[in-house]
Amino acid sequence: MSDRLGVGVVGCGIGGHHVRAYQSLSKRFNVLAICDIDGVRAHELAAEHNVPRVSSDLAELCQWDELEVIDICTPSHLHFSQVRQALAAGKHVVCEKPVAGSLQEVDELIRAEAQSGRRVMPIFQYRFGHGLQKLKFLVGEGIAGQAYLTTVETAWRRRAAYYAAPWRGRWATELGGASVTLAIHAHDALYYVLGPARSVLAHTATLVNPIETEDCVSASLQMADGSLASLSVTTGSAIQISRHRFCFSNLTAESNTQPYTNTSEPWVFSGDSPELTGQIEEALARFVALPEGFVGQFYRFHQALRGEAELPVTLADARASLELIAAIYHSAQTGQAVELPIGKGHPKYGGWQPEIPARARNAGALPPSR
Ligand SMILES: NC(=O)c1ccc[n+]([C@@H]2O[C@H](COP(=O)([O-])OP(=O)(O)OC[C@H]3O[C@@H](n4cnc5c(N)ncnc54)[C@H](O)[C@@H]3O)[C@@H](O)[C@H]2O)c1
């Protein structure tokens, strides 16, 4: 492997942020190609960042030997097939969330990755905020104690302009609603610290926008470690916040509420006694900060490909996140709590999308926009 990995970025929406993150790590990555079926968007992004090659076809990028990494930032329903295509061409793959549309698909990707000798890294860049990283560090040091209760809020604002992109708001193309596209990060942060749930009871509703998929979610989780967690998600919040509040026996950790940077600092870590507060301060003095966000994830990706660290996000992590999504939808559709793990025999293993009656696909049949 060369020290400086050649990268091709596919999809020029959030893909623009990926390009900037790679270019800020210019000793490690070299963005050599941009791909988008929208030629104007691709040429504009390439010109803005001095990227030499432009294509409208992923198959073409797959043939370029100088690309070691293909980074997929296309609409969600394309991820599964495009990850397979890039792996089959011998590339390492970075892929935006959600990496697949079902547990069956992500299991296929896990098999394909194992056979390819290459790595697939799903994106969960919120993991690398320094506030969340400090909590992860304290848990790893054994200071936090037993987890009791966690609350996770994703209260964002998304209206007609957001759903103007035709792939959004539809089961077939967005693969789900706010649970899949927006709150997936905050819920991954919960799993990152505590591990997976063992039981999920959820309600979903479409109240804010005239879309097929849900835009409000309330879920109650029993975690595998025995603690409880409560998730709430809406796209109808006039004031946007994201919030994590972890209550452990030895400390409470509270994030800031900035909607898109709440895993970054400031976080408040309160010990349950002055002695514990002292231990927390002493431990955090030893915390080593690496880069955050996309830069943080790509920095660690490079370390992993060089064999210096574990892959910072794996397909197994993506599978856990998709399993929670499948459980949320199955619980909301059946009114029953869903026990995890979800394996091959489960009704939602092959996909969580409900049958949509043809008449409901007609936008006119859906409630008016607010
Ligand atoms: N990690 C994050 O914080 C974050 C933020 C936003 C979006 N996303 C994810 O990124 C993905 C894209 O979202 P977006 O907001 O950038 O969407 P977008 O619609 O703004 O951009 C997608 C781009 O992909 C292009 N495209 C479509 N089909 C293509 C194909 N076959 N080959 C090449 N290009 C193709 C489109 O022309 C478009 O330019 C989604 O899966 C979304 O969930 C992640």
Side-chain angles (χ1 to χ4, degrees), residues 12-13 15-17 19-20 23 31 34 40-52 54:
C12 293
H17 292 264
V19 171
R20 281 184 277 283
Q23 290 194 333
V31 181
I34 300 286
V40 174
R41 222 175 174 191
H43 277 99
E44 279 176 4
L45 188 64
E48 189 186 339
H49 297 287
N50 294 316
V51 178
V54 174

Side-chain angles (χ1 to χ4, degrees), residues 161-170 173-174 176 181 211 213:
Y162 180 76
Y163 290 103
W167 64 273
R168 290 211 177 95
R170 298 186 183 281
T173 45
E174 195 172 345
T181 302
I211 55 174
T213 55

Side-chain angles (χ1 to χ4, degrees), residues 171 212 333 348 352-358 360-361:
W171 289 103
E212 280 179 4
Q333 289 160 20
K348 288 285 183 285
W352 47 76
Q353 292 84 351
E355 292 296 321
I356 309 283
R361 291 187 187 282

Side-chain angles (χ1 to χ4, degrees), residues 255-297:
S255 77
N256 74 74
T257 58
Q258 290 300 312
Y260 309 124
T261 53
N262 91 300
T263 60
S264 296
E265 297 197 275
W267 277 47
V268 177
F269 300 98
S270 307
D272 195 50
S273 66
E275 293 73 28
L276 284 165
T277 299
Q279 282 180 32
I280 292 166
E281 284 169 7
E282 178 273 324
L284 290 181
R286 288 182 280 111
F287 171 77
V288 178
L290 293 179
E292 299 187 284
F294 289 126
V295 179
Q297 186 164 353

Side-chain angles (χ1 to χ4, degrees), residues 118-132:
R118 297 290 181 270
R119 298 309 313 264
V120 177
M121 183 179 73
I123 289 288
F124 277 134
Q125 85 275 15
Y126 284 81
R127 280 186 178 196
F128 306 106
H130 290 165
L132 188 70

Side-chain angles (χ1 to χ4, degrees), residues 10-15 18 35-38 41 56 58 73-76 78-79 82 96-98 123 125-126 165 167-168 181 185 294:
V10 189
C12 293
I14 197 70
H18 288 217
C35 173
D36 199 299
I37 52 170
D38 180 339
R41 222 175 174 191
S56 61
L58 171 59
C73 300
T74 53
S76 303
L78 300 172
H79 295 173
Q82 291 183 330
E96 264 298 349
K97 46 55 149 171
I123 289 288
Q125 85 275 15
Y126 284 81
W167 64 273
R168 290 211 177 95
T181 302
H185 291 291
F294 289 126

